[in-house]
Amino acid sequence: MKDNNAASNALISVQSLKKSFGDKDVLTDISVDVNKGDVVCVIGPSGSGKSTFLRCLNRLEEPTGGHIFFEGVDICDPKVDIDMHRRKMGMVFQQFNLFPHMTIMKNLTVAPIKLLSLSQEEAESYARELLSKVGLLDRAGDYPMQLSGGQQQRIAIVRALCMKPDVMLFDEPTSALDPEMVGEVLSVMKDLAHEKMTMVVVTHEMGFAREVANRIMFMDEGRFIEEAAPEEFFVSPKNERTRLFLSKVL
Ligand SMILES: Nc1ncnc2c1ncn2[C@@H]1O[C@H](COP(=O)(O)OP(=O)(O)OP(=O)(O)O)[C@@H](O)[C@H]1O
Ligand SMILES: [Mg+2]
């Protein structure tokens, strides 16, 4: 959490963010910076506002108040071209949302060709490079339904990376997977973190959070009530509600 003054050098600077749906206040007053290279894990009870927070970061949800500076630009300003900024923020959801009628290669290259003006060869060559990193180069010609859930989610991560984002936002990327497929997706995310990708990850995977994050933020009832480095967070949480939550999930 941070002081609430002007733009900072953070990659993402959230200032007094509020979000309500009708008369229901979901995010009450959030101010937080995400710095380049941060791996922030957001944890907290169901319904506390984690997804809403994440989706506000690239304005998939419209904030009802406050400001979000991304790379120094207030993306809540109605005058900004949000699509242009959103391209730099990769997003991966619980459901992979691959295009079912397109091959994996087509899934990976359609946006970069259209939006980054890459040639087909350039886009395919970059896609192959990333596919080989996640061990799925041989599946380039397949259709999504020919892949397992874990493989599809690795493709969804690659698809986001093909846009060369400056930050990756993950909303419970392993929650819809069979348990035996969780590890392969977390391992791709771990590699990304080691490559210094800036990441904001909503997750229930406490082991991952503890091992990979440099910051844990605990959300309860629409605000972050505790933030700490993983060791401190898991070993000596300060807030009573954090302790209660951890006692249930650990
Ligand atoms: N489009 C919407 N319209 C109305 N209420 C909504 C909408 N989206 C979310 N909410 C409400 O906002 C609150 C926070 O939801 P959110 O999905 O952000 O929680 P969460 O922390 O991600 O929960 P979970 O761990 O179950 O995914 C909930 O009470 C939810 O019902
Ligand atoms: Mg959620």
Side-chain angles (χ1 to χ4, degrees):
M1 319 219 289
K2 59 178 298 295
D3 1 306
N4 231 0
N5 289 320
S8 62
N9 291 323
L11 184 66
I12 303 175
S13 181
V14 176
Q15 305 190 358
S16 306
L17 172 66
K18 296 178 187 66
K19 173 66 183 176
S20 7
F21 293 104
D23 59 6
K24 185 174 167 50
D25 297 331
V26 173
L27 303 178
T28 41
D29 185 359
I30 295 185
S31 294
V32 66
D33 279 358
V34 177
N35 298 309
K36 214 162 173 285
D38 269 350
V39 178
V40 178
C41 279
V42 174
I43 67 177
S46 180
S48 57
K50 305 179 298 297
S51 296
T52 305
F53 168 72
L54 201 71
R55 293 164 60 82
C56 280
L57 293 183
N58 63 0
R59 268 182 57 198
L60 282 182
E61 295 289 358
E62 282 298 337
T64 32
H67 299 276
I68 298 169
F69 291 87
F70 174 54
E71 301 183 323
V73 176
D74 183 0
I75 59 167
C76 295
D77 183 340
K79 292 195 289 288
V80 301
D81 177 359
I82 186 63
D83 290 331
M84 201 181 87
H85 298 285
R86 209 177 264 155
R87 272 173 222 163
K88 302 248 128 218
M89 308 169 115
M91 187 144 190
V92 177
F93 304 89
Q94 194 173 327
Q95 301 301 337
F96 337 120
N97 302 324
L98 298 172
F99 303 119
H101 58 293
M102 292 182 189
T103 63
I104 298 306
M105 183 52 86
K106 187 88 183 176
N107 262 282
L108 299 180
T109 54
V110 62
I113 290 172
K114 185 159 180 248
L115 301 172
L116 301 182
S117 307
L118 296 190
S119 70
Q120 187 167 333
E121 295 80 74
E122 286 168 328
E124 289 189 0
S125 137
Y126 191 49
R128 276 196 298 272
E129 191 184 311
L130 295 175
L131 277 175
S132 100
K133 273 194 187 169
V134 304
L136 291 171
L137 186 52
D138 58 335
R139 310 309 294 268
D142 287 351
Y143 286 86
M145 61 173 284
Q146 295 172 276
L147 273 58
S148 72
Q151 291 168 334
Q152 290 189 54
Q153 191 60 303
R154 284 186 276 157
I155 296 295
I157 295 172
V158 168
R159 182 172 61 173
L161 293 174
C162 280
M163 289 297 289
K164 306 183 178 171
D166 293 335
V167 60
M168 287 284 284
L169 310 175
F170 294 87
D171 193 357
E172 297 198 37
T174 59
S175 294
L177 298 176
D178 289 339
E180 74 269 23
M181 294 172 187
V182 169
E184 64 195 56
V185 171
L186 293 180
S187 147
V188 167
M189 293 169 64
K190 207 184 295 178
D191 290 346
L192 260 185
H194 288 147
E195 291 170 16
K196 299 284 173 240
M197 173 60 79
T198 309
M199 297 162 63
V200 182
V201 186
V202 174
T203 186
H204 292 292
E205 295 291 335
M206 297 302 144
F208 173 86
R210 187 165 183 165
E211 186 187 337
V212 181
N214 66 319
R215 300 164 67 187
I216 312 279
M217 304 202 310
F218 181 76
M219 180 167 273
D220 192 44
E221 296 182 351
R223 56 178 84 221
F224 290 114
I225 60 169
E226 181 155 3
E227 173 183 341
E231 205 50 34
E232 186 188 340
F233 183 87
F234 287 106
V235 175
S236 47
K238 291 190 181 56
N239 192 290
E240 189 53 48
R241 278 182 287 182
T242 314
R243 282 201 287 266
L244 184 66
F245 177 82
L246 289 176
S247 74
K248 288 184 189 151
V249 298
L250 288 182

